[in-house]
Amino acid sequence: MFERNNDLERKQLAPGVCITTLDASKFNRCRITLHLRFPAKRESATDAAVLALVLERGYAACPDMTALSRRLAQLYGADLGVDLASAGTDRVLSADICGIKDAYALAGENLTDAYADIVFGTIFDPYLVDGAFDPEAVRIETETQARRLEAEFNSKRLYCVRQARRKFYGDTPAGIELGGYPGELVNVTPQSLKAEYDRILSTAYIDVMVQGVDEARVADMLLKKLDGIRRDPHPFAAPVAMPATPLRHFKEEIPGLTQAKLCMLFTTGEANPNPPSVSILRVAMSVLGGSATSRLFRNVREKQSLCYYCGSAAQRATGVMMIDSGVEPGKEQQAEAAIIAELEGLKNGPITQEEVDDCRRGLLSSMDALGDSLAALENWYYGQITRGEPLYPPEYGKVLTSAVSLDEVRQTLQSYSYSVCYAVTAEPGTQGKGGSEDVE
């Protein structure tokens, strides 16, 4: 049996600052990623969303997109990205840079230092005007975020899921919108962005993930950037779950829709300090609706032809399971009943080893593919960090996945209770007569 590689280690450089080195020997490219995990705040959620866009435009040494693009081009076409994501009820602001390794530099340039200077500059040395962010950059990216939020309605699947989540989470911390709030964009200013930036830098746990570069050199450059910054890192938010409530149904009618959307949310109903492992959740979701051999795909989509697509997913940190589907308008209740019947069948009826193994194969194959991508490997390990797990490679993940039993799948699915159903469907008499939507 495969034994976990204990050489993988997350080293602490300072309070709330860690570095992790991952093997990149098979690649001719390298990668440095900086993750800042911080508590989400409702009052500054819109600023945080705009901040990520502004930071990606440049930093003090490359104060605009033209200068930054020119600098990246000089480094053999290196790629820089900035992103904002959720980790339970926390947020993660990430900056990453990827380029060729030092060994492949034509003139022997020190690319490691250049890459680290850019990615650390992006986060720690933003371009400021009179002590705040550049007003023109803020204006442009506020308008960009406004367009993004307006575009949500054009993707009916995304719109349905987000509407369901709003009903499910309400005003709880888990319900804070990752993209912010359209009506609050007018309040975003260079000064408010700087205040949110300062809060993030102070409260965030910082993780640097390095692949194919000199760890000691990157660590030294990071500590120099942090020198003089007042830090009070906050602990990661503990796993939480919405309480179990009587089922609530919501229905929204939109003119011209040709494909209705259905989003069903379930909760474990308690703040479990030891929720099911991610391996168990992966197998359970694959058996229910996360694969082409799942119950929902085989029975609801293929045998009963009740939906165009139907999938399931679960979040360990918030105790929520989601099933979303695209159905013919007017068949929402029929599809919902069929989905519940399949879930109940897995909770209380027979589950065969063969069907679990069929679904498991896809998960094992996806873990094999992780080794082909620097970004995928880094995401694999940072996911373990966000869950507070010891670091283990995909090979050991395959061992854990292979060990998941039928009883663990059943017990996990039995832990969920149905909470919210949100349907987006056609307004009577207008089906297929116009309007825009996404058709799966």
Side-chain angles (χ1 to χ4, degrees):
M1 176 177 288
F2 181 88
E3 294 185 1
R4 181 161 57 200
N5 181 358
N6 292 321
D7 292 337
L8 285 167
E9 184 181 358
R10 180 175 175 236
K11 302 175 184 176
Q12 182 168 317
L13 302 177
V17 182
C18 295
I19 189 168
T20 305
T21 301
L22 307 177
D23 179 34
S25 56
K26 65 179 285 186
F27 299 94
N28 58 19
R29 293 175 69 79
C30 60
R31 182 180 173 94
I32 303 173
T33 303
L34 185 65
H35 295 292
L36 289 81
R37 181 169 175 173
F38 60 95
K41 287 183 66 175
R42 168 62 184 84
E43 56 267 34
S44 60
T46 307
D47 283 290
V50 175
L51 175 64
L53 299 177
V54 171
L55 291 176
E56 196 169 24
R57 295 180 61 88
Y59 60 105
C62 295
D64 55 49
M65 297 181 72
T66 300
L68 179 58
S69 296
R70 185 180 296 116
R71 180 61 180 141
L72 292 171
Q74 291 170 349
L75 297 173
Y76 304 93
D79 297 313
L80 175 72
V82 180
D83 186 45
L84 182 69
S86 296
T89 56
D90 288 336
R91 293 289 182 264
V92 179
L93 176 66
S94 302
D96 64 85
I97 190 165
C98 185
I100 65 170
K101 291 180 177 178
D102 285 2
Y104 299 100
L106 296 178
E109 302 98 316
N110 183 343
L111 298 178
T112 292
D113 280 17
Y115 296 147
D117 182 68
I118 292 173
V119 76
F120 292 157
T122 298
I123 295 298
F124 299 117
D125 296 316
Y127 174 57
L128 302 177
V129 177
D130 296 328
F133 282 94
D134 177 23
E136 181 64 9
V138 173
R139 181 190 66 79
I140 291 171
E141 299 307 337
T142 300
E143 293 176 354
T144 298
Q145 189 62 13
R147 290 193 295 271
R148 288 185 176 184
L149 294 176
E150 290 170 1
E152 173 192 301
F153 186 74
N154 295 329
S155 172
K156 297 301 184 293
R157 182 177 187 178
L158 176 62
Y159 176 72
C160 182
V161 168
R162 289 186 175 174
Q163 288 290 82
R165 285 173 50 85
R166 288 160 185 149
K167 299 296 184 183
F168 181 77
Y169 287 119
D171 295 330
T172 66
I176 298 174
E177 296 282 354
L178 178 63
Y181 301 83
E184 297 177 7
L185 286 168
V186 295
N187 300 324
V188 174
T189 66
Q191 292 73 28
S192 69
L193 277 194
K194 182 61 165 57
E196 178 64 359
Y197 168 80
D198 290 340
R199 181 183 79 88
I200 292 172
L201 234 56
S202 171
T203 61
Y205 260 74
I206 298 174
D207 270 282
V208 179
M209 316 286 285
V210 295
Q211 297 165 279
V213 297
D214 183 345
E215 174 192 305
R217 181 62 186 151
V218 172
D220 181 63
M221 294 179 70
L222 173 61
L223 291 176
K224 287 180 180 178
K225 290 291 185 183
L226 289 171
D227 187 37
I229 297 177
R230 297 184 61 181
R231 299 261 300 139
D232 181 24
H234 288 212
F236 291 177
V240 297
M242 296 301 294
T245 60
L247 174 61
R248 294 173 292 157
H249 278 86
F250 302 91
K251 183 177 180 180
E252 183 174 350
E253 296 177 342
I254 297 176
L257 214 62
T258 58
Q259 185 184 125
K261 307 295 178 183
L262 191 67
C263 183
M264 305 160 65
L265 296 179
F266 304 75
T267 180
T268 55
E270 58 184 9
N272 185 354
N274 295 300
S277 72
V278 69
S279 297
I280 295 174
L281 281 178
R282 284 174 180 146
V283 176
M285 291 304 102
S286 183
V287 171
L288 174 59
S291 68
T293 54
S294 68
R295 288 282 182 96
L296 296 182
F297 187 92
R298 289 188 292 112
N299 297 334
V300 180
R301 183 186 187 276
E302 296 295 297
K303 290 183 180 179
Q304 300 181 59
S305 299
L306 283 174
C307 59
Y308 302 100
Y309 64 88
C310 190
S312 64
Q315 291 182 349
R316 185 173 183 268
T318 53
V320 62
M321 178 175 73
M322 179 185 77
I323 298 174
D324 78 312
S325 181
V327 304
E328 184 179 338
K331 292 189 176 181
E332 297 88 2
Q333 290 184 349
Q334 189 178 353
E336 179 190 5
I339 291 169
I340 292 298
E342 295 301 327
L343 176 58
E344 291 300 317
L346 289 170
K347 285 183 176 182
N348 305 306
I351 305 175
T352 68
Q353 188 66 52
E354 181 181 6
E355 72 173 314
V356 173
D357 289 343
D358 285 344
C359 295
R360 194 182 342 241
R361 287 190 192 96
L363 295 173
L364 299 178
S365 178
S366 68
M367 291 179 197
D368 284 334
L370 290 172
D372 296 330
S373 166
L374 289 171
L377 281 172
E378 183 234 300
N379 290 336
W380 169 266
Y381 288 106
Y382 188 64
Q384 294 165 32
I385 291 172
T386 64
R387 296 189 296 271
E389 299 173 349
L391 299 185
Y392 57 86
E395 291 83 0
Y396 190 71
K398 292 175 63 178
V399 173
L400 297 176
T401 300
S402 298
V404 175
S405 68
L406 303 185
D407 285 341
E408 287 173 323
V409 170
R410 188 190 306 281
Q411 290 168 10
T412 296
L413 295 175
Q414 287 175 341
S415 69
Y416 291 105
S417 62
Y418 196 9
S419 179
V420 166
C421 177
Y422 201 98
V424 175
T425 190
E427 190 175 273
T430 69
Q431 181 180 343
K433 291 186 176 181
S436 61
E437 62 175 306
D438 58 319
V439 178
E440 303 295 333

